[in-house]
Amino acid sequence: MVYPFFFFTMKEGALNAEYRVANRFGNTGCVNEKICKFSPEKKDEGFPSYFEMGTMVMIYSYLRGDLRKEVLDYTYSHNNYKKEVTKQMDTWLDAVRNLRNYCAHHSMVVGMTSSVVIPNNRDSADVLPDNTNLYSRLYALKKILPQEDANMLATELERLISRAKIDVYKMNILPADWKNLYDRILFL
């Protein structure tokens, strides 16, 4: 069995990160260590894709506030994100992680209440009617996804709802006007 151990050392801010991955193989004591570097010049060679969602959320949550801002500035179009947005991003990532875990472990997302999602101040107040339900997870997804992916999510969800044998609106799975609300969510 392989036991991965992750060691993170931050050098010169969040964008020039070095990490080490050591795999220990059973009781043999054999260690295979790989040292990787991530820098803005080599975007395509970023953190490995085998990190789990929970691990990536934890990595972000362990960063100092100024490094979180740097990650947001690097990732999204607006610059000068304030401390408030980094707190909101924490709730959005946590909400998406919870939704992923519900889906991956075959749990019901109908009637799901989970961590609180804090709305962005740039959005109108009525865009997020409830901050702990399934729709709030969609809000969080739209906030962190690129625009093209967020639009594809809405299209796929509409298709899924149209094929459903139950009325998702009568069962309060989603708000009746979820598509209108979703379209009014501003991108980060």
Side-chain angles (χ1 to χ4, degrees), residues 14-15 60 63 66-76:
L15 300 181
Y60 179 78
L63 293 175
D66 59 324
L67 297 178
R68 289 182 189 190
K69 290 178 194 175
E70 194 173 332
V71 168
L72 291 177
D73 288 341
Y74 179 74
T75 307
Y76 297 101

Side-chain angles (χ1 to χ4, degrees), residues 36-56:
C36 306
K37 295 186 184 224
F38 173 72
S39 66
E41 296 80 31
K42 299 179 181 178
K43 273 189 177 181
D44 297 333
E45 299 175 21
F47 287 123
S49 60
Y50 56 79
F51 278 169
E52 295 174 354
M53 177 71 176
T55 304
M56 294 305 291

